[in-house]
């Protein structure tokens, strides 16, 4: 193989300039030829027939001043709206829920203000099918402060607030500060609540139709009270006994100009001859069949639960009050929730007249410490009815619990109680989760359908910070309290008593 090489040409010292230039050009040409001969030959393919596949610019880049290699190329300033920016950066700039609603706090990821109003979101946000809210969080993370803050700020929007379940009495100071009312029930308390009170009829309803509705509500309430004490369903003859006793006592009360009382019905059930006479059955078996039922109702008027439901009501339900709370802190402290459940049942029936009036405006119904009532299917049935009718009645229900597994305590898998509790969760378009313990993460993620990132986030949330799941959209919100609210909502006051 022949090799071509080039060496520096000897140039005589006395040669002229033209000769030296000629020799230098010849040397440079020889060097180029040597380098070309040393490189392997590249076989170039024919150009593509499709012009779209041909390169626009050579491999060295775009030629001319437009190549941006001079360092002097400048682009014009580009302006865009926040809506466009949210589309470009979807995980950094959340559009939020809009500006309508009460102020909650700060959206941590978007660094924006976060407002919320379930009534204004309904029909405006895709997937937001109901105004009900589930609020869960361990003790000390600020869930109670959030519930009270939402109630207080909603009143400024013209909404009313009902709290039929306040097992710790924490809402009493809130109701007092807002000009509302509190009814404290318990042994030795002056408050009395007659579950057989006939509420005022709604506007425009026929009196005869309303009388039929009142009778039906009274029967359902008596049956619920009896089932709670007996811890079982009633037999057909026991239902008949309640029916006969209620009609007899109501007729007698109307004739004497007074309201029917629970003690009157318990007395009639405990007198077999009078009950049989009222029934008109020649077999006279109804009195004997109602024996256990009579003892169950007697406990409410003369037993350990006496003093709450065996006298005319000492207060009246005022639907125009901005907030009404039922203080049940004197009940259930011994570990027996029977009194608490009975009071809840009576209070719910007492409020139903106002709640069932669609012209009464928008209202919040807040069940604080609801884990104590989730174990009783009778109450769950009433709550389910309120959840289902929330849109038509203008009611936003809020269920406040410690952990999502509290819903599983309503009964065994496949039981009616478990189905009712899980149905309440399904009918909540807004789920607010504060910090959860590590052993609760799997149950929480399973019930709410959280992603891995969301599950990890709720295990490390700080005080006052929660994960908001609103119609499938996620927000991490830091709740902001006014100093006056902070003092009013302080649930740790007893822990700080006496400290400097």
């Amino acid at each position: 193989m022949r090799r071509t090489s080039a060496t520096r040409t000897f140039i005589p010292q006395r040669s002229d300039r033209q000769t030296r230039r000629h020799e230098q050009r010849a040397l440079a040409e020889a060097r180029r030829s040597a380098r070309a001969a040393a490189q392997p030959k590249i076989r170039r393919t024919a150009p593509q027939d499709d012009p779209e596949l041909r390169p626009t610019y050579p491999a060295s880049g775009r030629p001319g001043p437009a190549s941006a290699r001079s360092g002097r190329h400048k682009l014009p300033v580009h302006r865009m709206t926040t809506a466009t920016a949210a589309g470009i950066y979807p995980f950094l700039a959340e559009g939020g829920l809009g500006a309508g609603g009460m102020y909650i706090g700060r959206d941590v990821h978007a660094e924006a203000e976060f407002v919320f109003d379930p009534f204004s979101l309904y029909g405006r946000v895709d997937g937001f099918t109901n105004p009900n809210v589930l609020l869960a969080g361990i003790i000390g993370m600020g869930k109670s402060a959030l519930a009270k803050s939402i109630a207080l700020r909603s009143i400024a929007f013209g909404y009313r607030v009902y709290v039929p379940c306040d097992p710790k009495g924490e809402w009493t100071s809130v109701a007092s500060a807002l000009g509302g009312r509190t009814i404290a029930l318990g042994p030795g308390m002056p408050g009395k609540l007659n579950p057989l009170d006939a509420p005022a009829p709604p506007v425009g309803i026929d009196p005869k139709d309303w009388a039929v509705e009142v009778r039906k509500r009274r029967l359902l309430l008596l049956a619920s009270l009896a089932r709670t004490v007996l811890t079982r369903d009633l037999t057909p003859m026991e239902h008949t006994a309640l029916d006969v006793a209620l009609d007899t006592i109501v007729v007698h009360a109307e004739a004497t100009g007074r309201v029917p009382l629970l003690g009157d019905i318990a007395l009639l059930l405990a007198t077999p001859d009078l009950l049989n006479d009222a029934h008109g059955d020649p077999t006279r078996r109804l009195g004997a069949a109602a024996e256990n039922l009579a003892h169950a109702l007697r406990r409410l008027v003369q037993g350990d639960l006496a003093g709450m439901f065996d006298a005319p009501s000492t207060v009246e339900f005022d639907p125009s009050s901005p907030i009404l709370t039922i203080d049940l802190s004197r009940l259930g402290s011994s570990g027996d929730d029977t009194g608490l459940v009975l009071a809840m049942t009576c209070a719910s029936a007492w409020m139903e007249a106002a709640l069932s009036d669609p012209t009464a405006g928008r209202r919040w119904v807040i069940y604080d410490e609801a884990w104590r009532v989730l174990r009783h299917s009778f109450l769950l049935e009433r709550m389910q009815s309120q959840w289902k009718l929330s849109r038509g009645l203008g009611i936003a229900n809020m269920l406040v619990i410690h952990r999502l597994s509290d819903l599983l305590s309503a009964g065994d898998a496949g039981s009616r109680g478990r189905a009712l509790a899980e149905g309440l969760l399904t009918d909540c378009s807004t789920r607010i989760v504060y910090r959860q313990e590590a052993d609760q993460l799997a149950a929480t993620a399973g019930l709410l359908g959280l992603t891995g990132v969301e599950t990890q986030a709720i295990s490390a949330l700080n005080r006052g910070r929660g994960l908001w799941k609103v119609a499938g959209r996620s927000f991490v919100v830091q709740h902001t309290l006014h100093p006056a609210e902070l003092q009013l909502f302080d649930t740790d006051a007893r822990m700080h008593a006496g400290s400097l």
Side-chain angles (χ1 to χ4, degrees):
M1 178 177 179
R2 187 180 65 177
R3 298 182 61 185
T4 304
S5 60
T7 60
R8 187 177 296 274
T9 305
F10 172 75
I11 301 175
Q13 186 174 4
R14 294 183 178 180
S15 59
D16 56 7
R17 179 179 298 179
Q18 184 177 2
T19 303
R20 289 197 301 271
R21 289 180 177 177
H22 177 73
E23 296 290 345
Q24 289 174 354
R25 284 195 293 268
L27 178 60
E29 181 64 28
R31 286 177 175 174
R32 284 194 295 269
S33 300
R35 285 195 299 267
Q39 295 178 355
K41 294 184 178 181
I42 300 176
R43 304 181 63 181
R44 300 185 179 275
T45 58
Q48 297 289 338
D49 296 333
D50 190 353
E52 296 293 335
L53 299 180
R54 296 176 184 175
T56 304
Y57 303 112
S60 59
R62 183 175 181 176
S67 64
R69 290 192 295 267
S70 63
R72 300 178 181 177
H73 185 72
K74 294 182 179 180
L75 294 175
V77 177
H78 179 69
R79 298 179 181 274
M80 68 176 69
T81 64
T82 54
T84 306
I88 299 175
Y89 305 103
F91 302 103
L92 299 179
E94 208 341 304
L97 299 176
M102 69 231 26
Y103 174 76
I104 300 297
R106 178 173 55 87
D107 187 337
V108 175
H109 290 165
E111 288 294 337
E113 307 303 326
F114 185 83
V115 297
F116 175 74
D117 185 353
F119 297 105
S120 65
L121 293 178
Y122 180 73
R124 187 171 59 85
V125 175
D126 293 338
F128 196 90
T129 58
N130 59 77
N132 303 316
V133 178
L134 172 76
L135 174 57
I138 62 175
I139 297 175
M141 288 293 105
K143 67 180 184 302
S144 295
L146 176 63
K148 295 169 186 174
S149 179
I150 290 177
L152 185 150
R153 299 172 188 181
S154 296
I155 292 176
F157 279 72
Y159 305 160
R160 296 184 177 91
V161 179
Y162 303 146
V163 185
C165 178
D166 182 16
K168 296 193 295 185
E170 295 178 352
W171 287 82
T172 301
S173 59
V174 179
S176 177
L178 297 176
R181 302 189 65 180
T182 296
I183 302 172
L185 298 177
M189 300 294 293
K192 308 291 183 182
L193 190 61
N194 181 18
L196 299 181
D197 280 340
V203 179
I205 191 171
D206 185 80
K208 294 182 179 179
D209 295 338
W210 182 243
V212 174
E213 179 66 20
V214 169
R215 181 180 182 274
K216 182 182 71 173
R217 291 187 181 186
R218 285 170 170 171
L219 279 175
L220 292 175
L221 175 60
L222 289 172
S224 297
L225 294 175
R227 284 199 302 263
T228 302
V229 179
L230 292 171
T231 64
R232 63 170 175 82
D233 289 331
L234 302 184
T235 64
M237 292 194 70
E238 288 174 337
H239 277 290
T240 302
L242 275 182
D243 191 354
V244 172
L246 177 64
D247 290 341
T248 303
I249 294 301
V250 168
V251 171
H252 183 266
E254 291 178 350
T256 58
R258 64 185 186 90
V259 296
L261 298 175
L262 197 60
D264 299 335
I265 294 179
L267 180 61
L268 181 57
L269 291 173
T271 311
D273 292 338
L274 294 178
L275 187 62
N276 289 326
D277 293 341
H279 186 220
D281 185 6
T283 61
R284 304 186 69 82
R285 295 184 302 168
L286 188 63
E291 181 180 359
N292 290 333
L293 183 61
H295 287 291
L297 293 184
R298 182 184 182 278
R299 182 183 176 187
L300 296 175
V301 295
Q302 295 182 359
D304 59 318
L305 301 175
M308 294 182 289
F309 316 112
D310 54 352
S313 299
T314 58
V315 292
E316 295 182 359
F317 184 80
D318 184 8
S320 63
S321 177
I323 179 171
L324 176 66
T325 69
I326 308 296
D327 183 356
L328 306 178
S329 57
R330 298 292 185 94
L331 299 170
S333 58
S334 61
D336 184 9
D337 285 342
T338 304
L340 181 80
V341 174
L342 292 173
M344 270 284 300
T345 304
C346 293
S348 298
W350 199 51
M351 290 183 175
E352 275 181 1
L355 295 178
S356 59
D357 186 1
T359 63
R362 294 172 174 175
R363 292 144 291 174
W364 278 96
V365 181
I366 301 176
Y367 294 88
D368 202 358
E369 301 291 336
W371 59 271
R372 300 186 64 175
V373 300
L374 288 176
R375 294 170 290 182
H376 305 278
S377 59
F378 315 125
L379 286 176
L380 285 175
E381 291 175 357
R382 284 183 172 273
M383 295 167 68
Q384 184 193 45
S385 177
Q386 285 184 203
W387 257 249
K388 295 294 185 183
L389 299 176
S390 59
R391 294 174 297 174
L393 299 177
I395 298 173
N397 300 285
M398 179 182 291
L399 193 69
V400 184
I401 57 179
H402 288 163
R403 54 188 68 89
L404 270 297
S405 59
D406 291 338
L407 297 173
L408 306 180
S409 65
D412 298 330
S415 64
R416 175 167 176 76
R418 175 77 71 85
L420 289 172
E422 293 180 351
L424 296 181
L425 174 62
T426 304
D427 291 333
C428 290
S429 289
T430 304
R431 291 93 176 265
I432 309 169
V433 185
Y434 275 43
R435 183 176 177 180
Q436 297 288 299
E437 298 292 357
D439 59 345
Q440 299 295 322
L441 296 180
T444 303
L447 289 171
L448 298 183
L450 302 181
T451 64
V453 176
E454 293 171 340
T455 304
Q456 184 179 5
I458 63 175
S459 65
L461 292 173
N462 299 327
R463 181 181 176 90
R465 183 172 295 187
L467 173 67
W468 288 60
K469 296 280 292 184
V470 182
R473 299 168 64 180
S474 299
F475 307 88
V476 177
V477 180
Q478 177 66 49
H479 180 213
T480 303
L481 284 171
H482 188 273
E485 290 180 318
L486 185 61
Q487 183 178 3
L488 182 62
F489 303 157
D490 188 10
T491 58
D492 298 330
R494 295 180 181 178
M495 300 296 293
H496 304 326
S499 60
L500 298 178

